[in-house]
Every structure is written in C-alpha cells, then in structure tokens.
Amino acid sequence: MTHSAAQISYLEDGHTLRNWLLTTDHKRIAILYVVAITFFFFAGGFAAFLMRYNLISSHGLLGSAETYNRLFSMHGILMVWFFLVPAVPVTLGNFLTPLMLGARDLAFPRLNLLSWYLFMAAGFVALYAVVAGGVDTGWTFYTPLTSLYSKGHVVAAIVAIFIAGFSSIATGLNFIVTIHKLRAPGMGWYRMPVFLWSLYATSVILVLATPVLAMTLLLLAFERIFGIGVFDPAIGGDPLLFQHLFWFYSHPAVYVMILPGFGVISEIVPAFSRKELFGYKFIVWASIAIAVIGFLVWGHHMFVAGTSLFSAIVFSLLSYMVAAPSAIKVFNWIGTMHKGYIHFDSPMLYAIGFIGLFTTGGLTGLFVAALAADVHLTQTYFVVAHFHYVMVGGMVSAYFAGLHFWWPKITGRLYPEMWGRAAAITIFVGFNLTFFPQFVLGYLGMPKRYFAYPQQFEALNLLSSAGAVVLAIGYLLPLGYLTWSLLYGERASANPWGATGLEWTTPSPPPTENFAVTPIVTQAPYQYEQPEAVIHE
C-alpha cells in the first residue's frame, strides 16, 4: 500500500459556518451527523431516565399514565429512528468508507449532504411532535393506537419518520455505488475490510426495505387525514395488514442497526488481539446471509396476533435460521482472540462487552422465537430486556467501540485511556443492572408499557432504576473526556493502534483529499504478523 503526502487537514480546511453547512466532504458530513445523533441519543435517554424514575414506585411517580405513555413513545421514536438506525452508517460509515476504499469521497457527495439535511428536517419535525404534546403510540404505531380517536400528534411523527426514510435510502444508495465503483486498485471483494461488507449488506436492506415503510406510513397518514379505511377496522381497515407491512421493514431494520456493529467489532478484535481475523469469508457471508434471511422472519412478531398456526411454525423455524450466521460471527471473534496477544484498551473492552451483551440478547431471542414460550413472554418485560440487550447493549457498545477506535483518526487527538476503560466498565455494569432484572420481571409476567404495576415487582424495578443511574453516568463519561481531548488531548500519530487498513495510512486527522496518491492494495486485510507490536507507540 502506498502512502499519502502531508496535506491540509479536513478540520483546518475552512472554519466558517458556511464551510461546514455546505460541505460535500464525507468526513465533515460525518461530524455533522455525530453532533445530531448525539443530541437525539441524550434526548431519548432522558425520556428513558424519567420512565425509570416513574417505575421506582408501583403506583407510578409521574402522576399521569398519559404522560408515561408519551414518554416511552418519545424514547422509542427518538432512539430507534434517530439514533439506532442511522448511528454507525452515517457517522463511522460516512467517515471511513472512502478512506477504507482508498477513495477521495463517496460516489455522490452532494447526495450525501442532502441526506444529512433530510435527516435534520426529519429530526426537527419529530421534535415538533414531541414539544407539541407528543404521541402515545409507541415507536411501532400499531392500530388502534394510531386510529382516529388518538389525540396525539401522530401525523407529525409519521412525517418525521417518512422524511428520515428518504435520508436512509440516499445514504444506502451512496454506499452501494461507492463500494462497487471506487475501490482502490488491487482491492478485490475479498480484500475488503469486513466493516465495508457489513455496511454493504446494511445498505441493501435500507434501499429495499425502507420504501415499504414509507408506503405504510403514507397509507397511515391518508387514513388519519382523509378517513380512508386502511388499517382501522372501525372504518373498514385491517389492523393485521399494518403489522405485516410494518414488520416487513422493521425486522430487517433490526439488522440495519446491528450489522454495522458487527463490522466495527470485526475490525477491533483482530487489531487488539494482534491476529488475523479468524474465518474472514465465513464472517463476510454471514453478513450477507443475515441480510437475506432477515427479510423472511417478520411474522415472528405476530405469533399472538391471530395468524395461522402453519405460518407461525414457518416463521419460528426461519427465526432460528437467522441465529446461525450471528453465532458464526461470535464464534469467529472468539476464535480470533484465542491465543492472541490481547490488549485491553478501551475499544477492546467495549468490543468484549458487545460480544457478551449481544450473545445474551441473541440467546434470549431464541426463547421468543419458540411458539410456546412466546405466547407467555410476548408483551412482557422479557421482550424489552431481549431487545435492549441486542440493540443497546450490543449496538451502542459497538458504536462506542468504533468511536474510541477511530477517534484518534477522526480528531487527531488521543483521549485519556484510563477514563475510556472506566466508562466501558461502568456502562457494562450499569447496563446489566438495568436490564437483567427485566428478564426476571418478564418471566414473572409483568407486562410492558404500564404506568403502574403490582407491588410484588417493586424490588426488581427499583434495582433496574438504580442500574439506569449507573448506566447514565457511564454514557455521560465519554461525552466529558472525549470533548476534553479535543482541546487538551495528546496529538495522535497516523496509526496509534498499529492497525491494518488504508485509513491508517493517512495522517490523523486525514487531509481533505484523503490520499495524495491513490493507494494500491497488495494483500488481504488483517495481516497482523508481529504480535509483539507496540500499542501507543
């Protein structure tokens, strides 16, 4: 691989507001996304904090069930649509894809900027819906919660997600074309980093599935505005039709959220184990298999919705099938660490936390994929815990892992390593304190989305709320020390971790043009042949 020449850093290439808001540089657009999704993460997290405060007492502390309903709807909508779905692709994906490919930028830089403006427009409409009074539909918008009797700002929330969907499609299309057309000379498909394979699989899902969501929301808006019966049975609609259409998008969307996280972990584990990634091709094709099978399992969300027993059995079997490629990835990460020279730096601690939390979430997913168990567990806190172990414990840990891994490259600064490790451990402990009791609550039969509950569940809810405080501290720590590092952090070298990959051949932070000379790839990724290599050299 050839090297780039020293050029002006992308951070120093213009400091005015206009330079940032009209930029078509993928790196600056990634930074704009980081700022936006960080805001939505903490806004959605604040709503969750208030929910846990309410659940400290079995009688509820917020004084109103309606307030509680709107809080969990706000939490779900902001977290799912404005953080979990876009987080890794639009931030790390935007920043790293051209750098990993050896390209100057994404294939369509202006489309990339447009997608950010669409995302921000969607975010402002969502915030309007919240400030104007919110919705009490949850993030799934099921009928009858969205039918004509609902008093919330349903249409505004629908419009927000509809616009955000176009941002996702534009981003996904950009990544697909970029990966096909802008790979550096010598970079065949099997010389491509797993992160890019994961991003490619994610983009295919975004482009194919998101239009279904857009059509569903459009039909819902027509029903609300014009009274045309589509999903509301009171005016001739079919509520099951909404669930079919919604989950046809939303189950693959689960993999939109987690597949990029798989890619991040696949970069970090070899780097900090000083070993070649074990089973590269198996991991690559596991990503593709997840993307394909993910389109065939939406019915497992509807086992108790009145679907036929035959279809339920088929969807149950398909749900077990999608677990296999996920298990392959976990097996290969552990295989990579086996007999490796493991360095427990912050990114690796987050990655190990991801593997543990995601595996727990995945295994409990097998319980709700079983028909008999699902009848008992559906709509309980068991499902809440399972979902959060995969999406928050898994995906958010992966996002933080990637953020810490590439932070020196993105900013040109090192963060205080001790604080990074402390935050990773605090988040892991806080997360388990928060959500593991919810498995027990769900098993005992406590339903989700209730403002008040029987007193027998109070101790476990108190433990869960105490864990939420620890978790909140863990999430606030990186906000503090990463911000501090921007001003006072030690200057980072081009490759502070001794990692492989084209992005580490450029200075930190990268120049505007990424590479002075187009790099040439001459070997497969993850060629870690010197286990004694020094970290933080």
Side-chain angles (χ1 to χ4, degrees):
M1 302 178 186
T2 60
H3 299 279
S4 61
Q7 295 173 294
I8 186 169
S9 149
Y10 81 97
L11 290 174
E12 297 171 348
D13 193 3
H15 296 90
T16 66
L17 194 60
R18 176 187 173 85
N19 287 139
W20 279 89
L21 295 182
L22 296 181
T23 182
T24 54
D25 185 338
H26 66 101
K27 300 181 288 298
R28 286 195 167 201
I29 293 172
I31 300 297
L32 293 175
Y33 269 120
V34 167
V35 174
I37 71 160
T38 300
F39 170 79
F40 288 118
F41 175 75
F42 282 103
F46 182 67
F49 192 78
L50 292 178
M51 289 159 55
R52 288 314 317 171
Y53 168 73
N54 175 77
L55 294 173
I56 289 174
S57 167
S58 58
H59 302 292
L61 294 177
L62 290 177
S64 161
E66 186 173 354
T67 302
Y68 179 77
N69 291 347
R70 290 173 190 254
L71 274 174
F72 75 65
S73 298
M74 170 186 167
H75 166 68
I77 290 169
L78 293 183
M79 279 298 199
V80 171
W81 306 108
F82 294 95
F83 177 75
L84 290 173
V85 168
V88 174
V90 301
T91 57
L92 298 176
N94 246 324
F95 193 94
L96 294 167
T97 297
L99 287 168
M100 286 182 159
L101 290 171
R104 161 67 185 86
D105 207 321
L106 291 173
F108 306 115
R110 290 179 181 174
L111 183 64
N112 196 21
L113 180 62
L114 175 64
S115 71
W116 180 75
Y117 275 106
L118 288 172
F119 179 78
M120 294 306 298
F124 281 123
V125 176
L127 289 176
Y128 161 75
V130 170
V131 173
V135 295
D136 53 2
T137 61
W139 72 276
T140 53
F141 296 98
Y142 271 17
T143 301
L145 300 175
T146 50
S147 63
L148 297 177
Y149 85 85
S150 177
K151 295 178 291 185
H153 294 266
V154 176
V155 173
I158 290 171
V159 169
I161 297 168
F162 185 79
I163 298 171
F166 281 95
S167 172
S168 295
I169 293 171
T171 300
L173 184 65
N174 219 342
F175 286 150
I176 290 172
V177 176
T178 302
I179 291 171
H180 270 276
K181 305 297 290 185
L182 298 184
R183 298 196 307 276
M187 182 179 280
W189 285 93
Y190 286 139
R191 285 182 176 175
M192 206 166 65
V194 170
F195 179 75
L196 294 180
W197 275 101
S198 300
L199 210 58
Y200 184 82
T202 303
S203 300
V204 170
I205 297 174
L206 283 173
V207 171
L208 295 180
T210 309
V212 177
L213 175 71
M215 288 187 289
T216 308
L217 295 177
L218 202 58
L219 290 171
L220 193 55
F222 278 150
E223 184 172 83
R224 291 278 306 185
I225 297 170
F226 302 112
I228 301 170
V230 182
F231 305 122
D232 185 356
I235 52 177
D238 181 357
L240 275 188
L241 176 62
F242 177 84
Q243 294 191 33
H244 278 292
L245 292 172
F246 179 82
W247 287 115
F248 183 82
Y249 163 81
S250 293
H251 195 82
V254 169
Y255 303 111
V256 167
M257 300 180 220
I258 199 66
L259 270 172
F262 290 162
V264 169
I265 302 305
S266 297
E267 300 300 318
I268 291 174
V269 169
F272 290 90
S273 301
R274 316 311 300 173
K275 275 184 67 185
E276 185 177 354
L277 184 64
F278 178 71
Y280 167 86
K281 290 185 179 178
F282 283 96
I283 291 184
V284 162
W285 286 103
S287 297
I288 303 301
I290 289 171
V292 173
I293 301 173
F295 276 102
L296 307 175
V297 298
W298 79 90
H300 77 209
H301 295 275
M302 301 168 61
F303 287 161
V304 296
T307 56
S308 75
L309 180 60
F310 176 76
S311 73
I313 292 172
V314 171
F315 279 118
S316 177
L317 291 174
L318 288 168
S319 300
Y320 279 104
M321 282 179 61
V322 82
S326 299
I328 288 172
K329 286 176 177 289
V330 173
F331 176 78
N332 285 0
W333 293 325
I334 294 173
T336 304
M337 286 189 275
H338 179 61
K339 294 186 178 180
Y341 291 79
I342 299 175
H343 296 258
F344 292 99
D345 292 85
S346 303
M348 189 61 170
L349 290 181
Y350 278 109
I352 292 173
F354 167 91
I355 294 172
L357 298 176
F358 171 77
T359 301
T360 305
L363 288 174
T364 52
L366 299 179
F367 286 81
V368 291
L371 284 176
D374 186 73
V375 170
H376 172 68
L377 297 173
T378 192
Q379 298 299 320
T380 71
Y381 265 85
F382 190 94
V383 177
V384 175
H386 156 67
F387 181 82
H388 282 79
Y389 262 83
V390 175
M391 291 294 98
V392 181
M395 187 274 156
V396 176
S397 293
Y399 176 68
F400 275 100
L403 193 62
H404 284 74
F405 184 47
W406 284 294
W407 183 263
K409 178 58 58 183
I410 294 170
T411 64
R413 298 281 184 169
L414 297 175
Y415 51 83
E417 183 57 33
M418 184 196 72
W419 281 106
R421 293 175 183 174
I425 294 170
T426 304
I427 288 172
F428 184 81
V429 172
F431 181 86
N432 280 293
L433 280 175
T434 304
F435 291 102
F436 197 83
Q438 296 181 16
F439 279 128
V440 183
L441 286 168
Y443 172 76
L444 295 175
M446 179 174 168
K448 63 179 183 176
R449 297 183 174 181
Y450 274 68
F451 165 75
Y453 54 86
Q455 194 170 12
Q456 69 196 69
F457 298 136
E458 200 166 70
L460 286 170
N461 270 293
L462 184 60
L463 180 60
S464 182
S465 295
V469 175
V470 178
L471 186 59
I473 293 171
Y475 285 147
L476 285 169
L477 283 175
L479 186 66
Y481 64 75
L482 291 179
T483 304
W484 178 90
S485 78
L486 291 175
L487 301 174
Y488 307 108
E490 183 184 343
R491 294 280 181 184
S493 63
N495 190 3
W497 308 117
T500 63
L502 291 179
E503 76 272 27
W504 299 108
T505 65
T506 64
S508 301
T512 302
E513 303 295 326
N514 288 349
F515 302 94
V517 179
T518 301
I520 298 174
V521 179
T522 57
Q523 60 184 6
Y526 316 115
Q527 298 299 305
Y528 291 100
E529 297 176 349
Q530 297 177 335
E532 70 281 7
V534 177
I535 298 290
H536 281 315
E537 59 187 359

